[in-house]
């Protein structure tokens, strides 16, 4: 039987007439790295502020190591928080910033020195003890903030978009450092971001949030390859969402009409296309002929070829590093993105092409606006 270091039970929170959290529940194991992923305003920060004791829920409970801490003050629960803006004292050097919490608790000077140096060594800042925050880079400031947060070895460390102010290269470097540190310390991390790359690269599990609720909770692999909703599919990995009507079902595969071919356009003379594509069904899909469905297809799974069933216009062709990307427009106006690594598409802007996908690569999802 699993034991959980942190349990959130049906948390609800309103600010005035705005319902920010709508019954959030989550169980977190010791040493887990869980990311709360969602766009601004979905309730992520409110949720960790409640965990930290900086906000009180209207209802629900926060259980830490089996103890109800919902009404406890922040300094009475074994939780620390790292914020995006570092929150360092500008007049103190690195050592003093990291030592501040221990000094307030009147820990002995020798013990403070020992623990501060251990924390700075973990974040690879041992040589920066006498520098002021103004003499540090953004990444170094963030590591000081992390050292200050971990010095008391909290049961849970909350990180509110801690890398958001860093440039792309430094952010990627810090992702690896944070994950290394978390594994070494064994501290439970609850991490907030709206960056799907961070969530996929760092997390043991991801909780995708929308409008104060969890849309899906699972491993990065589960959410990427088996999204449950159109929102989760688009937010994690930017999937294409295609919508259509089931015309036939045979051998566990549904043929879905995406659009009706325009025979007057002249495109049919270039190649045969039907306006349909296939989607693999699984046992949980209670799909019948005539049903309207939505399916998620990743950009890397879109293929071009004369035998494909859909016609599309190449609207834009672009390159990003080793990634080649096509923006394709279907006759009904819907746009689809196709991408591939290490090769160029045999298609140019303004050209009509036949596109499709392997039925196994189309996942039926709950459609959400």
């Amino acid at each position: 039987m699993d034991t959980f270091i942190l349990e959130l039970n049906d948390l609800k929170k309103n600010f005035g007439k705005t319902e920010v959290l709508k019954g959030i529940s989550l169980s977190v194991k010791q040493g887990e790295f869980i990311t709360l992923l969602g766009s601004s305003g979905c309730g992520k920060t409110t949720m960790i502020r409640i965990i930290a004791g900086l906000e009180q829920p209207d209802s629900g409970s926060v259980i830490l190591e089996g103890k109800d801490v919902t009404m406890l003050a922040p300094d009475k629960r074994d939780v620390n928080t790292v914020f995006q803006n570092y929150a360092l004292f500008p007049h103190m050097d690195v050592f003093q910033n990291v030592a501040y919490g221990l000094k307030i608790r009147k820990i002995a000077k020798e013990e403070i020195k020992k623990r501060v140096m251990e924390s700075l060594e973990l974040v690879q800042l041992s040589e920066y003890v006498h520098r002021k925050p103004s003499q540090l880079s953004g990444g170094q400031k963030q590591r000081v903030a992390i050292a200050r947060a971990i010095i008391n070895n909290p049961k849970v460390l909350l990180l509110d978009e801690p890398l958001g102010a860093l440039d792309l290269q430094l952010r990627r470097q810090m992702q690896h450092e944070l994950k290394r540190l978390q594994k070494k310390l064994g501290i439970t991390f609850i991490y907030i971001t709206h960056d799907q790359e961070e969530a996929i690269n760092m997390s043991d599990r991801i909780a995708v949030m929308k409008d104060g609720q969890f849309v899906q909770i699972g491993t990065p692999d589960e959410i990427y390859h088996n999204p449950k909703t159109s929102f989760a599919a688009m937010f994690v990995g930017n999937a294409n969402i295609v919508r259509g009507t089931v015309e036939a079902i045979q051998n566990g595969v549904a043929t879905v009409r995406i659009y009706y071919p325009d025979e007057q356009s002249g495109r049919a003379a270039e190649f045969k296309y039907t306006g349909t594509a296939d989607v693999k069904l699984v046992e949980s899909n209670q799909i019948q002929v005539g049903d309207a469905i939505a399916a998620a297809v990743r950009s890397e799974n879109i293929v071009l070829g004369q035998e494909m069933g859909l016609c599309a216009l190449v609207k834009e062709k672009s390159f990003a590093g080793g990634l080649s990307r096509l923006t394709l427009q279907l006759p009904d106006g819907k746009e689809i993105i196709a991408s591939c690594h290490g090769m160029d598409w045999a298609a140019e802007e303004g050209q009509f092409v036949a596109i499709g996908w392997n039925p196994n690569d189309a996942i039926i999802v709950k459609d959400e606006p």
Side-chain angles (χ1 to χ4, degrees), residues 59-285:
S59 62
S61 61
V62 178
I63 309 298
L64 182 63
E65 288 193 304
K67 179 183 178 181
D68 190 334
V69 298
T70 312
M71 304 307 293
L72 290 185
D75 61 339
K76 302 299 182 183
R77 51 181 87 185
D78 202 355
V79 173
N80 273 350
T81 306
V82 177
F83 298 101
Q84 180 178 335
N85 64 359
Y86 318 130
L88 302 179
F89 298 109
H91 62 287
M92 295 183 182
D93 63 22
V94 168
F95 184 96
Q96 292 167 329
N97 264 283
V98 177
Y100 182 78
L102 298 180
K103 187 176 179 181
I104 291 297
R105 293 170 55 198
K106 302 187 183 303
I107 303 296
K109 286 185 179 181
E110 287 303 313
E111 178 67 12
I112 289 177
K113 182 177 180 180
K114 174 177 176 290
R115 288 167 65 174
V116 168
M117 295 311 298
E118 286 175 349
S119 294
L120 289 176
E121 184 177 350
L122 281 170
V123 297
Q124 301 173 4
L125 285 178
S126 300
E127 299 177 3
Y128 295 80
V129 288
H130 299 304
R131 291 197 186 184
K132 296 288 181 62
S134 61
Q135 299 172 307
L136 302 175
S137 68
Q140 289 166 344
K141 290 177 184 177
Q142 192 56 273
R143 280 187 275 172
V144 174
I146 291 166
R148 185 174 59 187
I150 64 175
I151 196 167
N152 288 321
N153 196 30
K155 296 294 187 296
V156 177
L157 186 62
L158 309 172
L159 302 101
D160 190 356
E161 303 209 41
L163 310 183
L166 307 181
D167 62 59
L168 179 60
Q169 184 174 356
L170 184 55
R171 193 160 68 240
R172 287 176 173 168
Q173 178 186 338
M174 285 297 296
Q175 288 173 17
H176 293 297
E177 289 191 19
L178 269 178
K179 186 63 178 176
R180 172 193 63 81
L181 186 63
Q182 189 263 341
K183 289 297 184 186
K184 185 170 185 176
L185 294 174
I187 296 175
T188 302
F189 275 26
I190 297 181
Y191 189 96
I192 281 186
T193 186
H194 61 268
D195 185 322
Q196 56 172 282
E197 180 182 298
E198 278 187 10
I200 291 172
N201 288 346
M202 302 172 70
S203 313
D204 296 319
R205 285 193 296 159
I206 299 172
V208 183
M209 290 188 71
K210 179 188 179 188
D211 298 333
Q213 296 176 305
F214 288 138
V215 173
Q216 185 173 354
I217 302 173
T219 66
D221 184 74
E222 287 170 346
I223 293 178
Y224 189 87
H225 291 108
N226 291 288
K228 302 300 182 186
T229 71
S230 57
F231 179 84
M234 294 177 70
F235 207 85
V236 181
N238 297 319
N240 298 292
I241 304 298
V242 292
R243 298 173 175 88
T245 304
V246 177
E247 287 199 340
I249 297 176
Q250 186 175 10
N251 298 325
V253 173
T255 299
V256 181
R257 175 158 298 285
I258 310 300
Y259 62 82
Y260 287 91
D262 179 3
E263 298 294 345
Q264 305 303 315
S265 68
R267 300 170 198 162
E270 299 179 45
F271 46 78
K272 293 182 179 180
Y273 66 99
T274 62
T276 64
D278 290 338
V279 176
K280 184 180 179 180
L281 300 179
V282 296
E283 290 182 7
S284 60
N285 297 141

Side-chain angles (χ1 to χ4, degrees), residues 45-66:
T45 296
T46 299
M47 181 174 158
I48 69 160
R49 285 178 63 83
I50 288 174
I51 297 170
L54 301 172
E55 294 281 356
Q56 294 297 323
D58 296 330
S59 62
S61 61
V62 178
I63 309 298
L64 182 63
E65 288 193 304

Side-chain angles (χ1 to χ4, degrees), residues 240 299 302 304 313-318 324-329 336-340 344-349 353 355:
N240 298 292
S299 61
I302 301 293
L304 276 60
L313 172 66
V314 180
K315 295 282 288 184
E316 183 180 327
K317 187 176 183 179
S318 60
S324 179
R325 173 185 167 110
L326 293 180
T327 301
L328 304 157
Q329 186 179 56
I336 284 179
I337 303 299
S339 64
C340 62
D344 189 11
W345 291 103
E348 300 298 332
E349 291 183 9
V353 294
I355 69 168

